[in-house]
Amino acid sequence: MISRRDFFKGAGAVAVSTAAVSRVGAASLPEAMVMDNAKTHVPPLPATGRPFNPVVTLNGWSLPWRMNNGVKEFHLVAEPVVREFAPGMKVNLWGYNGQSPGPTIEVVEGDRVRIFVTNKLPEHTSVHWHGQRLPNGMDGVTGLTQPGIPPGKTFVYEFVAKRPGTFMYHPHADEMTQMAMGMMGFWVTHPKDIARFAVDRDFVFLLSAYDIEPGSYTPKVNTMLDFNLWTFNSRVFPGIDTMPVRQGDRVRIRVGNLTMTNHPIHLHGHEFEVTGTDGGWTAPGSRWPEVTTDVAVGQMRAIEFIATDPGDWAFHCHKSHHTMNAMGHDVPTLIGVDHRGIAEKINKIVPDYMVMGDKGGSMGGMEMPIPENTLPMMTGDGPFGGVEMGGMFTVLKVRKDQKRGDYSDPGWYKHPAGTVAYEWTGQLPEPERIGDAGRSLMPAKNEPNVELQVRKPSGHMDH
């Protein structure tokens, strides 16, 4: 993390409304802190304000604040940023304070909060505090509840964090462009009672999606459905950090969705309960066990479980294309097609040509050249070889000896003897197979050999 003490110096200084600053009683703006890397930063316990248990933002950080006459003040800077999706690929995005998504804002129920928002984008913007109860004029909808924040200006939002829960923030100004470029962040309001809803590990991250042509650096902002990079906090596997926990820990994972589609988020090895939405905490009597929860567009889901079983457990979106990186939608399916002959002829013209897809889609072991600033579709190595994943995929690492508060990666799990799947070399029994292809599932009553005829009526009679 770096400071921005010289942020307002020089010819490009940001203009701030002195009337706005005097109205909120601030002698000066709080320092705009900037993050310059994509590591997971574990925040310290709060030094000022009411006590709370901080969350851990996967591949992100929590925004520092200052106390000013009992008001918790933050400074967000909306600006162009460069985000590393994974080593080997960087993307030009728009975000906050040096990153996309922006830093997580953490406050306590009942806090009066003041957020200075400085616009360094080339167009106007705003910030909507998704899910919050606040004065209408602080809701951040350009044209409806406020004018847009012009480039080079700073606006102030101020309200009381009325209820505990998990929320998001994003623009309500030129949303198609600004959200497609990565403008979003998380907000957590902790309960006044620090023991209420307490857990041992508390992770947060946002789901986001981008359409970035292989070899390019900037997302297409007009894409509606065909995205090719699906991310946890604008990181793709294997660039996503793991979630290390101690065996026996009570773990909470809060997932917010600001993509254009739903995401069934699935955890291996454990069952969990949905304990919170962006509407609030779910009553204990209404919870039930799941291993997958669907997070719809604009929603947040908080899941909780006890990390009972040690191991390296996959955690991912269960839409299979969402666990891939920049793939092509127009590649034909060639499974079962023998095209060795044509491949030999093509190789005489294109020496690097290789047969793909005739035996399946696996790309493990292929050393295929790819464009600059592009990642393989499926990559990442585990202790037994290629993991063949990308996109929205990471690993929950449960260890008996992981110290409390230790979020360092413990390495690969060492399986006890006899607990890993292995090759069978003995005699196999003859497998049973069904040969009638389900023909007897719906037999016609007393007429097993009925021939059906279908007649399409003419006109609209008997339609």
Side-chain angles (χ1 to χ4, degrees):
M1 187 186 303
I2 59 175
S3 67
R4 192 174 271 183
R5 293 187 184 278
D6 298 327
F7 183 73
F8 297 104
K9 294 181 181 178
V14 176
V16 182
S17 167
T18 55
V21 173
S22 63
R23 279 200 300 271
V24 299
S28 62
L29 287 168
E31 189 172 6
M33 304 300 291
V34 180
M35 183 56 65
D36 60 353
N37 62 74
K39 297 177 182 177
T40 298
H41 295 267
V42 180
L45 291 172
T48 60
R50 303 178 188 184
F52 63 85
N53 296 313
V55 299
V56 174
T57 305
L58 197 65
N59 290 103
W61 58 301
S62 290
L63 186 64
W65 69 87
R66 75 174 181 193
M67 298 301 297
N68 184 1
N69 294 322
V71 180
K72 190 172 283 186
E73 292 185 336
F74 298 86
H75 190 174
L76 279 178
V77 180
E79 61 185 347
V81 303
V82 175
R83 178 67 163 176
E84 183 187 66
F85 276 30
M89 184 178 186
K90 293 183 178 180
V91 181
N92 297 325
L93 297 177
W94 290 358
Y96 302 92
N97 298 62
Q99 280 203 350
S100 171
T104 299
I105 295 176
E106 296 190 72
V107 302
V108 178
E109 176 188 11
D111 278 353
R112 175 164 286 279
V113 183
R114 185 179 296 139
I115 309 106
F116 297 86
V117 179
T118 299
N119 183 12
K120 295 192 71 179
L121 299 173
E123 65 171 356
H124 72 271
T125 190
S126 72
V127 183
H128 167 58
W129 313 99
H130 186 109
Q132 300 272 13
R133 292 183 185 175
L134 35 60
N136 185 239
M138 297 291 170
D139 195 43
V141 182
T142 300
L144 179 66
T145 65
Q146 68 164 85
I149 307 172
K153 300 293 185 179
T154 295
F155 274 37
V156 181
Y157 296 87
E158 185 169 342
F159 53 90
V160 174
K162 292 184 177 179
R163 62 185 178 92
T166 312
F167 313 100
M168 298 176 278
Y169 64 87
H170 60 81
H172 255 298
D174 191 14
E175 290 176 58
M176 180 183 73
T177 297
Q178 294 187 13
M179 292 185 70
M181 288 291 287
M183 296 193 70
M184 57 192 71
F186 240 120
W187 176 300
V188 175
T189 301
H190 297 276
K192 279 189 278 191
D193 180 359
I194 195 171
R196 191 181 182 208
F197 309 125
V199 293
D200 299 296
R201 311 268 173 161
D202 201 337
F203 297 95
V204 303
F205 59 88
L206 283 165
L207 308 176
S208 49
Y210 303 92
D211 182 13
I212 303 172
E213 285 282 350
S216 65
Y217 289 77
T218 304
K220 295 180 180 180
V221 299
N222 292 322
T223 298
M224 296 183 186
L225 294 174
D226 290 338
F227 299 93
N228 62 3
L229 285 159
W230 304 90
T231 71
F232 287 170
N233 265 10
S234 294
R235 294 282 284 187
V236 297
F237 184 81
I240 300 172
D241 284 348
T242 62
M243 294 186 287
V245 305
R246 179 187 179 96
Q247 186 180 14
D249 274 354
R250 183 167 189 86
V251 181
R252 178 186 296 130
I253 303 174
R254 315 184 198 214
V255 182
N257 180 10
L258 289 176
T259 73
M260 300 281 275
T261 187
N262 65 307
H263 297 279
I265 300 298
H266 175 57
L267 173 63
H268 292 209
H270 296 77
E271 63 276 1
F272 57 75
E273 293 179 335
V274 175
T275 57
T277 73
D278 32 1
W281 298 98
T282 56
S286 67
R287 302 171 186 173
W288 66 91
E290 284 279 13
V291 297
T292 304
T293 185
D294 197 35
V295 188
V297 179
Q299 287 186 337
M300 188 286 302
R301 292 289 180 267
I303 67 171
E304 292 182 27
F305 58 94
I306 304 297
T308 54
D309 290 52
D312 293 334
W313 301 107
F315 182 87
H316 59 96
C317 177
H318 218 291
K319 290 186 175 181
S320 57
H321 282 181
H322 295 186
T323 52
M324 298 172 68
N325 295 326
M327 63 277 192
H329 295 272
D330 299 323
V331 177
T333 300
L334 298 173
I335 294 175
V337 176
D338 185 353
H339 49 179
R340 285 173 294 183
I342 190 67
E344 291 172 1
K345 294 178 182 178
I346 295 174
N347 253 308
K348 294 177 182 178
I349 304 171
V350 185
D352 289 331
Y353 177 80
M354 62 175 62
V355 173
M356 290 181 61
D358 58 332
K359 299 177 180 65
S362 176
M363 299 184 71
M366 289 187 179
E367 296 183 1
M368 191 175 166
I370 59 175
E372 181 185 354
N373 200 52
T374 302
L375 300 170
M377 286 193 289
M378 299 175 288
T379 185
D381 291 323
F384 299 100
V387 179
E388 295 189 334
M389 287 289 178
M392 294 176 168
F393 181 95
T394 188
V395 180
L396 175 77
K397 295 197 170 186
V398 183
R399 298 292 189 273
K400 184 177 181 179
D401 54 356
Q402 190 84 2
K403 293 182 174 60
R404 297 195 182 279
D406 181 4
Y407 290 87
S408 61
D409 190 301
W412 298 116
Y413 180 60
K414 295 178 175 57
H415 300 84
T419 65
V420 177
Y422 59 95
E423 181 186 3
W424 175 257
T425 58
Q427 186 175 359
L428 291 172
E430 188 66 26
E432 295 287 339
R433 288 189 172 88
I434 295 176
D436 64 359
R439 190 173 57 225
S440 63
L441 294 178
M442 296 180 66
K445 186 176 181 181
N446 300 324
E447 297 184 57
N449 297 314
V450 170
E451 181 178 343
L452 300 178
Q453 293 183 347
V454 178
R455 179 177 62 85
K456 183 177 180 180
S458 60
H460 294 282
M461 295 297 293
D462 303 315
H463 194 59

PDB file of all heavy atoms in Angstrom, residues 249-279:
ATOM      1  N   ASP A 249     -12.221 -24.219  12.458  1.00  0.00           N
ATOM      2  CA  ASP A 249     -12.645 -22.821  12.338  1.00  0.00           C
ATOM      3  C   ASP A 249     -14.086 -22.734  11.838  1.00  0.00           C
ATOM      4  O   ASP A 249     -14.515 -23.535  10.996  1.00  0.00           O
ATOM      5  CB  ASP A 249     -11.760 -22.070  11.330  1.00  0.00           C
ATOM      6  CG  ASP A 249     -10.491 -21.515  11.951  1.00  0.00           C
ATOM      7  OD1 ASP A 249     -10.333 -21.602  13.180  1.00  0.00           O
ATOM      8  OD2 ASP A 249      -9.645 -20.992  11.191  1.00  0.00           O
ATOM      9  N   ARG A 250     -14.817 -21.721  12.325  1.00  0.00           N
ATOM     10  CA  ARG A 250     -16.074 -21.343  11.694  1.00  0.00           C
ATOM     11  C   ARG A 250     -15.717 -20.323  10.621  1.00  0.00           C
ATOM     12  O   ARG A 250     -15.133 -19.273  10.912  1.00  0.00           O
ATOM     13  CB  ARG A 250     -17.071 -20.762  12.691  1.00  0.00           C
ATOM     14  CG  ARG A 250     -18.418 -20.428  12.041  1.00  0.00           C
ATOM     15  CD  ARG A 250     -19.520 -20.154  13.031  1.00  0.00           C
ATOM     16  NE  ARG A 250     -20.792 -20.051  12.336  1.00  0.00           N
ATOM     17  CZ  ARG A 250     -21.586 -21.077  12.015  1.00  0.00           C
ATOM     18  NH1 ARG A 250     -21.209 -22.310  12.321  1.00  0.00           N
ATOM     19  NH2 ARG A 250     -22.718 -20.896  11.383  1.00  0.00           N
ATOM     20  N   VAL A 251     -16.068 -20.625   9.373  1.00  0.00           N
ATOM     21  CA  VAL A 251     -15.644 -19.839   8.223  1.00  0.00           C
ATOM     22  C   VAL A 251     -16.861 -19.189   7.573  1.00  0.00           C
ATOM     23  O   VAL A 251     -17.895 -19.831   7.386  1.00  0.00           O
ATOM     24  CB  VAL A 251     -14.910 -20.721   7.187  1.00  0.00           C
ATOM     25  CG1 VAL A 251     -14.446 -19.879   5.998  1.00  0.00           C
ATOM     26  CG2 VAL A 251     -13.733 -21.439   7.838  1.00  0.00           C
ATOM     27  N   ARG A 252     -16.717 -17.911   7.243  1.00  0.00           N
ATOM     28  CA  ARG A 252     -17.739 -17.213   6.458  1.00  0.00           C
ATOM     29  C   ARG A 252     -17.100 -16.736   5.148  1.00  0.00           C
ATOM     30  O   ARG A 252     -15.986 -16.217   5.157  1.00  0.00           O
ATOM     31  CB  ARG A 252     -18.286 -16.010   7.230  1.00  0.00           C
ATOM     32  CG  ARG A 252     -19.330 -15.199   6.435  1.00  0.00           C
ATOM     33  CD  ARG A 252     -19.757 -13.932   7.171  1.00  0.00           C
ATOM     34  NE  ARG A 252     -20.437 -14.237   8.414  1.00  0.00           N
ATOM     35  CZ  ARG A 252     -20.149 -13.696   9.592  1.00  0.00           C
ATOM     36  NH1 ARG A 252     -19.162 -12.814   9.688  1.00  0.00           N
ATOM     37  NH2 ARG A 252     -20.825 -14.012  10.676  1.00  0.00           N
ATOM     38  N   ILE A 253     -17.812 -16.934   4.054  1.00  0.00           N
ATOM     39  CA  ILE A 253     -17.385 -16.413   2.756  1.00  0.00           C
ATOM     40  C   ILE A 253     -18.533 -15.579   2.206  1.00  0.00           C
ATOM     41  O   ILE A 253     -19.646 -16.077   2.034  1.00  0.00           O
ATOM     42  CB  ILE A 253     -17.013 -17.546   1.783  1.00  0.00           C
ATOM     43  CG1 ILE A 253     -15.913 -18.433   2.364  1.00  0.00           C
ATOM     44  CG2 ILE A 253     -16.563 -16.962   0.441  1.00  0.00           C
ATOM     45  CD1 ILE A 253     -15.585 -19.654   1.523  1.00  0.00           C
ATOM     46  N   ARG A 254     -18.275 -14.293   1.948  1.00  0.00           N
ATOM     47  CA  ARG A 254     -19.290 -13.384   1.418  1.00  0.00           C
ATOM     48  C   ARG A 254     -18.971 -13.137  -0.062  1.00  0.00           C
ATOM     49  O   ARG A 254     -17.879 -12.679  -0.396  1.00  0.00           O
ATOM     50  CB  ARG A 254     -19.285 -12.057   2.179  1.00  0.00           C
ATOM     51  CG  ARG A 254     -19.212 -12.194   3.702  1.00  0.00           C
ATOM     52  CD  ARG A 254     -19.311 -10.830   4.339  1.00  0.00           C
ATOM     53  NE  ARG A 254     -18.836 -10.819   5.724  1.00  0.00           N
ATOM     54  CZ  ARG A 254     -19.359 -10.057   6.678  1.00  0.00           C
ATOM     55  NH1 ARG A 254     -20.364  -9.259   6.412  1.00  0.00           N
ATOM     56  NH2 ARG A 254     -18.865 -10.078   7.913  1.00  0.00           N
ATOM     57  N   VAL A 255     -19.934 -13.423  -0.927  1.00  0.00           N
ATOM     58  CA  VAL A 255     -19.742 -13.327  -2.368  1.00  0.00           C
ATOM     59  C   VAL A 255     -20.773 -12.365  -2.944  1.00  0.00           C
ATOM     60  O   VAL A 255     -21.978 -12.568  -2.776  1.00  0.00           O
ATOM     61  CB  VAL A 255     -19.884 -14.706  -3.045  1.00  0.00           C
ATOM     62  CG1 VAL A 255     -19.636 -14.594  -4.541  1.00  0.00           C
ATOM     63  CG2 VAL A 255     -18.940 -15.722  -2.418  1.00  0.00           C
ATOM     64  N   GLY A 256     -20.319 -11.315  -3.624  1.00  0.00           N
ATOM     65  CA  GLY A 256     -21.216 -10.376  -4.295  1.00  0.00           C
ATOM     66  C   GLY A 256     -21.107 -10.528  -5.800  1.00  0.00           C
ATOM     67  O   GLY A 256     -20.017 -10.760  -6.332  1.00  0.00           O
ATOM     68  N   ASN A 257     -22.229 -10.394  -6.500  1.00  0.00           N
ATOM     69  CA  ASN A 257     -22.266 -10.632  -7.948  1.00  0.00           C
ATOM     70  C   ASN A 257     -22.653  -9.354  -8.686  1.00  0.00           C
ATOM     71  O   ASN A 257     -23.795  -8.902  -8.606  1.00  0.00           O
ATOM     72  CB  ASN A 257     -23.260 -11.747  -8.270  1.00  0.00           C
ATOM     73  CG  ASN A 257     -23.343 -12.032  -9.765  1.00  0.00           C
ATOM     74  OD1 ASN A 257     -22.539 -11.544 -10.551  1.00  0.00           O
ATOM     75  ND2 ASN A 257     -24.327 -12.836 -10.146  1.00  0.00           N
ATOM     76  N   LEU A 258     -21.701  -8.780  -9.419  1.00  0.00           N
ATOM     77  CA  LEU A 258     -21.984  -7.635 -10.278  1.00  0.00           C
ATOM     78  C   LEU A 258     -21.658  -7.964 -11.735  1.00  0.00           C
ATOM     79  O   LEU A 258     -21.232  -7.111 -12.512  1.00  0.00           O
ATOM     80  CB  LEU A 258     -21.212  -6.399  -9.803  1.00  0.00           C
ATOM     81  CG  LEU A 258     -21.725  -5.810  -8.480  1.00  0.00           C
ATOM     82  CD1 LEU A 258     -20.849  -4.652  -8.018  1.00  0.00           C
ATOM     83  CD2 LEU A 258     -23.172  -5.346  -8.604  1.00  0.00           C
ATOM     84  N   THR A 259     -21.872  -9.236 -12.122  1.00  0.00           N
ATOM     85  CA  THR A 259     -21.740  -9.638 -13.518  1.00  0.00           C
ATOM     86  C   THR A 259     -23.116  -9.562 -14.181  1.00  0.00           C
ATOM     87  O   THR A 259     -24.079  -9.058 -13.601  1.00  0.00           O
ATOM     88  CB  THR A 259     -21.199 -11.073 -13.647  1.00  0.00           C
ATOM     89  OG1 THR A 259     -22.220 -12.013 -13.283  1.00  0.00           O
ATOM     90  CG2 THR A 259     -19.985 -11.289 -12.753  1.00  0.00           C
ATOM     91  N   MET A 260     -23.221 -10.103 -15.406  1.00  0.00           N
ATOM     92  CA  MET A 260     -24.474 -10.063 -16.158  1.00  0.00           C
ATOM     93  C   MET A 260     -25.215 -11.393 -16.121  1.00  0.00           C
ATOM     94  O   MET A 260     -26.166 -11.607 -16.873  1.00  0.00           O
ATOM     95  CB  MET A 260     -24.180  -9.698 -17.619  1.00  0.00           C
ATOM     96  CG  MET A 260     -23.499  -8.355 -17.790  1.00  0.00           C
ATOM     97  SD  MET A 260     -24.629  -6.977 -17.681  1.00  0.00           S
ATOM     98  CE  MET A 260     -25.214  -6.924 -19.358  1.00  0.00           C
ATOM     99  N   THR A 261     -24.792 -12.327 -15.245  1.00  0.00           N
ATOM    100  CA  THR A 261     -25.471 -13.617 -15.158  1.00  0.00           C
ATOM    101  C   THR A 261     -25.321 -14.168 -13.748  1.00  0.00           C
ATOM    102  O   THR A 261     -24.561 -13.634 -12.942  1.00  0.00           O
ATOM    103  CB  THR A 261     -24.896 -14.611 -16.186  1.00  0.00           C
ATOM    104  OG1 THR A 261     -25.696 -15.808 -16.192  1.00  0.00           O
ATOM    105  CG2 THR A 261     -23.459 -14.993 -15.848  1.00  0.00           C
ATOM    106  N   ASN A 262     -26.069 -15.230 -13.449  1.00  0.00           N
ATOM    107  CA  ASN A 262     -25.992 -15.843 -12.124  1.00  0.00           C
ATOM    108  C   ASN A 262     -24.791 -16.776 -12.033  1.00  0.00           C
ATOM    109  O   ASN A 262     -24.239 -17.223 -13.041  1.00  0.00           O
ATOM    110  CB  ASN A 262     -27.276 -16.625 -11.822  1.00  0.00           C
ATOM    111  CG  ASN A 262     -27.453 -17.801 -12.763  1.00  0.00           C
ATOM    112  OD1 ASN A 262     -27.402 -17.654 -13.990  1.00  0.00           O
ATOM    113  ND2 ASN A 262     -27.657 -18.979 -12.202  1.00  0.00           N
ATOM    114  N   HIS A 263     -24.400 -17.106 -10.792  1.00  0.00           N
ATOM    115  CA  HIS A 263     -23.251 -17.977 -10.561  1.00  0.00           C
ATOM    116  C   HIS A 263     -23.555 -18.970  -9.431  1.00  0.00           C
ATOM    117  O   HIS A 263     -23.699 -18.555  -8.280  1.00  0.00           O
ATOM    118  CB  HIS A 263     -22.018 -17.152 -10.203  1.00  0.00           C
ATOM    119  CG  HIS A 263     -21.574 -16.243 -11.299  1.00  0.00           C
ATOM    120  ND1 HIS A 263     -20.816 -16.663 -12.363  1.00  0.00           N
ATOM    121  CD2 HIS A 263     -21.832 -14.926 -11.529  1.00  0.00           C
ATOM    122  CE1 HIS A 263     -20.611 -15.653 -13.189  1.00  0.00           C
ATOM    123  NE2 HIS A 263     -21.220 -14.588 -12.699  1.00  0.00           N
ATOM    124  N   PRO A 264     -23.675 -20.263  -9.759  1.00  0.00           N
ATOM    125  CA  PRO A 264     -23.834 -21.283  -8.710  1.00  0.00           C
ATOM    126  C   PRO A 264     -22.476 -21.568  -8.062  1.00  0.00           C
ATOM    127  O   PRO A 264     -21.627 -22.246  -8.648  1.00  0.00           O
ATOM    128  CB  PRO A 264     -24.368 -22.503  -9.474  1.00  0.00           C
ATOM    129  CG  PRO A 264     -23.910 -22.302 -10.890  1.00  0.00           C
ATOM    130  CD  PRO A 264     -23.781 -20.820 -11.114  1.00  0.00           C
ATOM    131  N   ILE A 265     -22.262 -21.034  -6.877  1.00  0.00           N
ATOM    132  CA  ILE A 265     -20.969 -21.152  -6.195  1.00  0.00           C
ATOM    133  C   ILE A 265     -20.958 -22.438  -5.367  1.00  0.00           C
ATOM    134  O   ILE A 265     -21.832 -22.665  -4.530  1.00  0.00           O
ATOM    135  CB  ILE A 265     -20.712 -19.922  -5.317  1.00  0.00           C
ATOM    136  CG1 ILE A 265     -20.693 -18.655  -6.185  1.00  0.00           C
ATOM    137  CG2 ILE A 265     -19.409 -20.073  -4.552  1.00  0.00           C
ATOM    138  CD1 ILE A 265     -19.598 -18.626  -7.237  1.00  0.00           C
ATOM    139  N   HIS A 266     -19.947 -23.257  -5.607  1.00  0.00           N
ATOM    140  CA  HIS A 266     -19.905 -24.627  -5.078  1.00  0.00           C
ATOM    141  C   HIS A 266     -18.639 -24.841  -4.247  1.00  0.00           C
ATOM    142  O   HIS A 266     -17.544 -24.447  -4.641  1.00  0.00           O
ATOM    143  CB  HIS A 266     -19.935 -25.607  -6.259  1.00  0.00           C
ATOM    144  CG  HIS A 266     -19.772 -27.042  -5.876  1.00  0.00           C
ATOM    145  ND1 HIS A 266     -20.603 -27.686  -4.988  1.00  0.00           N
ATOM    146  CD2 HIS A 266     -18.869 -27.981  -6.291  1.00  0.00           C
ATOM    147  CE1 HIS A 266     -20.230 -28.951  -4.872  1.00  0.00           C
ATOM    148  NE2 HIS A 266     -19.180 -29.153  -5.639  1.00  0.00           N
ATOM    149  N   LEU A 267     -18.813 -25.484  -3.092  1.00  0.00           N
ATOM    150  CA  LEU A 267     -17.698 -25.826  -2.207  1.00  0.00           C
ATOM    151  C   LEU A 267     -17.571 -27.334  -2.107  1.00  0.00           C
ATOM    152  O   LEU A 267     -18.559 -28.030  -1.872  1.00  0.00           O
ATOM    153  CB  LEU A 267     -17.926 -25.224  -0.811  1.00  0.00           C
ATOM    154  CG  LEU A 267     -16.937 -25.630   0.290  1.00  0.00           C
ATOM    155  CD1 LEU A 267     -15.528 -25.151  -0.047  1.00  0.00           C
ATOM    156  CD2 LEU A 267     -17.384 -25.082   1.644  1.00  0.00           C
ATOM    157  N   HIS A 268     -16.365 -27.857  -2.246  1.00  0.00           N
ATOM    158  CA  HIS A 268     -16.103 -29.281  -2.106  1.00  0.00           C
ATOM    159  C   HIS A 268     -15.832 -29.644  -0.641  1.00  0.00           C
ATOM    160  O   HIS A 268     -15.290 -28.840   0.114  1.00  0.00           O
ATOM    161  CB  HIS A 268     -14.883 -29.674  -2.937  1.00  0.00           C
ATOM    162  CG  HIS A 268     -15.083 -29.590  -4.416  1.00  0.00           C
ATOM    163  ND1 HIS A 268     -14.401 -30.400  -5.308  1.00  0.00           N
ATOM    164  CD2 HIS A 268     -15.881 -28.803  -5.182  1.00  0.00           C
ATOM    165  CE1 HIS A 268     -14.767 -30.107  -6.548  1.00  0.00           C
ATOM    166  NE2 HIS A 268     -15.657 -29.122  -6.490  1.00  0.00           N
ATOM    167  N   GLY A 269     -16.201 -30.846  -0.263  1.00  0.00           N
ATOM    168  CA  GLY A 269     -15.773 -31.411   1.009  1.00  0.00           C
ATOM    169  C   GLY A 269     -16.531 -30.976   2.239  1.00  0.00           C
ATOM    170  O   GLY A 269     -16.334 -31.535   3.322  1.00  0.00           O
ATOM    171  N   HIS A 270     -17.405 -29.979   2.133  1.00  0.00           N
ATOM    172  CA  HIS A 270     -18.159 -29.462   3.272  1.00  0.00           C
ATOM    173  C   HIS A 270     -19.550 -29.055   2.816  1.00  0.00           C
ATOM    174  O   HIS A 270     -19.759 -28.720   1.649  1.00  0.00           O
ATOM    175  CB  HIS A 270     -17.471 -28.237   3.887  1.00  0.00           C
ATOM    176  CG  HIS A 270     -16.123 -28.529   4.470  1.00  0.00           C
ATOM    177  ND1 HIS A 270     -14.989 -28.697   3.688  1.00  0.00           N
ATOM    178  CD2 HIS A 270     -15.712 -28.671   5.755  1.00  0.00           C
ATOM    179  CE1 HIS A 270     -13.951 -28.944   4.479  1.00  0.00           C
ATOM    180  NE2 HIS A 270     -14.356 -28.919   5.728  1.00  0.00           N
ATOM    181  N   GLU A 271     -20.498 -29.070   3.726  1.00  0.00           N
ATOM    182  CA  GLU A 271     -21.781 -28.436   3.460  1.00  0.00           C
ATOM    183  C   GLU A 271     -21.830 -27.131   4.249  1.00  0.00           C
ATOM    184  O   GLU A 271     -21.135 -26.965   5.245  1.00  0.00           O
ATOM    185  CB  GLU A 271     -22.969 -29.329   3.832  1.00  0.00           C
ATOM    186  CG  GLU A 271     -23.079 -29.690   5.291  1.00  0.00           C
ATOM    187  CD  GLU A 271     -22.217 -30.883   5.691  1.00  0.00           C
ATOM    188  OE1 GLU A 271     -21.510 -31.435   4.830  1.00  0.00           O
ATOM    189  OE2 GLU A 271     -22.239 -31.245   6.888  1.00  0.00           O
ATOM    190  N   PHE A 272     -22.630 -26.186   3.767  1.00  0.00           N
ATOM    191  CA  PHE A 272     -22.698 -24.875   4.406  1.00  0.00           C
ATOM    192  C   PHE A 272     -24.151 -24.427   4.495  1.00  0.00           C
ATOM    193  O   PHE A 272     -25.056 -25.073   3.966  1.00  0.00           O
ATOM    194  CB  PHE A 272     -21.863 -23.844   3.635  1.00  0.00           C
ATOM    195  CG  PHE A 272     -22.245 -23.689   2.187  1.00  0.00           C
ATOM    196  CD1 PHE A 272     -23.392 -23.002   1.802  1.00  0.00           C
ATOM    197  CD2 PHE A 272     -21.445 -24.223   1.183  1.00  0.00           C
ATOM    198  CE1 PHE A 272     -23.742 -22.851   0.470  1.00  0.00           C
ATOM    199  CE2 PHE A 272     -21.793 -24.079  -0.157  1.00  0.00           C
ATOM    200  CZ  PHE A 272     -22.938 -23.393  -0.518  1.00  0.00           C
ATOM    201  N   GLU A 273     -24.362 -23.310   5.170  1.00  0.00           N
ATOM    202  CA  GLU A 273     -25.667 -22.657   5.217  1.00  0.00           C
ATOM    203  C   GLU A 273     -25.522 -21.230   4.713  1.00  0.00           C
ATOM    204  O   GLU A 273     -24.489 -20.594   4.931  1.00  0.00           O
ATOM    205  CB  GLU A 273     -26.223 -22.621   6.652  1.00  0.00           C
ATOM    206  CG  GLU A 273     -26.567 -23.994   7.215  1.00  0.00           C
ATOM    207  CD  GLU A 273     -27.099 -23.898   8.642  1.00  0.00           C
ATOM    208  OE1 GLU A 273     -26.773 -22.899   9.334  1.00  0.00           O
ATOM    209  OE2 GLU A 273     -27.821 -24.805   9.069  1.00  0.00           O
ATOM    210  N   VAL A 274     -26.565 -20.736   4.033  1.00  0.00           N
ATOM    211  CA  VAL A 274     -26.593 -19.330   3.640  1.00  0.00           C
ATOM    212  C   VAL A 274     -27.062 -18.535   4.852  1.00  0.00           C
ATOM    213  O   VAL A 274     -28.199 -18.663   5.295  1.00  0.00           O
ATOM    214  CB  VAL A 274     -27.524 -19.097   2.437  1.00  0.00           C
ATOM    215  CG1 VAL A 274     -27.626 -17.602   2.133  1.00  0.00           C
ATOM    216  CG2 VAL A 274     -27.012 -19.845   1.212  1.00  0.00           C
ATOM    217  N   THR A 275     -26.168 -17.721   5.396  1.00  0.00           N
ATOM    218  CA  THR A 275     -26.468 -17.002   6.640  1.00  0.00           C
ATOM    219  C   THR A 275     -26.743 -15.523   6.429  1.00  0.00           C
ATOM    220  O   THR A 275     -27.121 -14.833   7.370  1.00  0.00           O
ATOM    221  CB  THR A 275     -25.304 -17.154   7.636  1.00  0.00           C
ATOM    222  OG1 THR A 275     -24.103 -16.663   7.019  1.00  0.00           O
ATOM    223  CG2 THR A 275     -25.108 -18.616   8.038  1.00  0.00           C
ATOM    224  N   GLY A 276     -26.529 -15.033   5.195  1.00  0.00           N
ATOM    225  CA  GLY A 276     -26.785 -13.619   4.959  1.00  0.00           C
ATOM    226  C   GLY A 276     -26.985 -13.319   3.489  1.00  0.00           C
ATOM    227  O   GLY A 276     -26.468 -14.024   2.613  1.00  0.00           O
ATOM    228  N   THR A 277     -27.781 -12.295   3.227  1.00  0.00           N
ATOM    229  CA  THR A 277     -27.937 -11.735   1.892  1.00  0.00           C
ATOM    230  C   THR A 277     -27.684 -10.232   2.000  1.00  0.00           C
ATOM    231  O   THR A 277     -27.477  -9.712   3.098  1.00  0.00           O
ATOM    232  CB  THR A 277     -29.351 -11.978   1.333  1.00  0.00           C
ATOM    233  OG1 THR A 277     -30.282 -11.115   2.022  1.00  0.00           O
ATOM    234  CG2 THR A 277     -29.782 -13.433   1.527  1.00  0.00           C
ATOM    235  N   ASP A 278     -27.751  -9.508   0.853  1.00  0.00           N
ATOM    236  CA  ASP A 278     -27.593  -8.071   0.963  1.00  0.00           C
ATOM    237  C   ASP A 278     -28.802  -7.422   1.621  1.00  0.00           C
ATOM    238  O   ASP A 278     -28.777  -6.235   1.941  1.00  0.00           O
ATOM    239  CB  ASP A 278     -27.294  -7.420  -0.394  1.00  0.00           C
ATOM    240  CG  ASP A 278     -27.934  -8.139  -1.560  1.00  0.00           C
ATOM    241  OD1 ASP A 278     -28.631  -9.135  -1.336  1.00  0.00           O
ATOM    242  OD2 ASP A 278     -27.726  -7.714  -2.704  1.00  0.00           O
ATOM    243  N   GLY A 279     -29.868  -8.208   1.858  1.00  0.00           N
ATOM    244  CA  GLY A 279     -31.016  -7.711   2.610  1.00  0.00           C
ATOM    245  C   GLY A 279     -30.877  -7.886   4.114  1.00  0.00           C
ATOM    246  O   GLY A 279     -31.688  -7.356   4.877  1.00  0.00           O
TER     247      GLY A 279
END
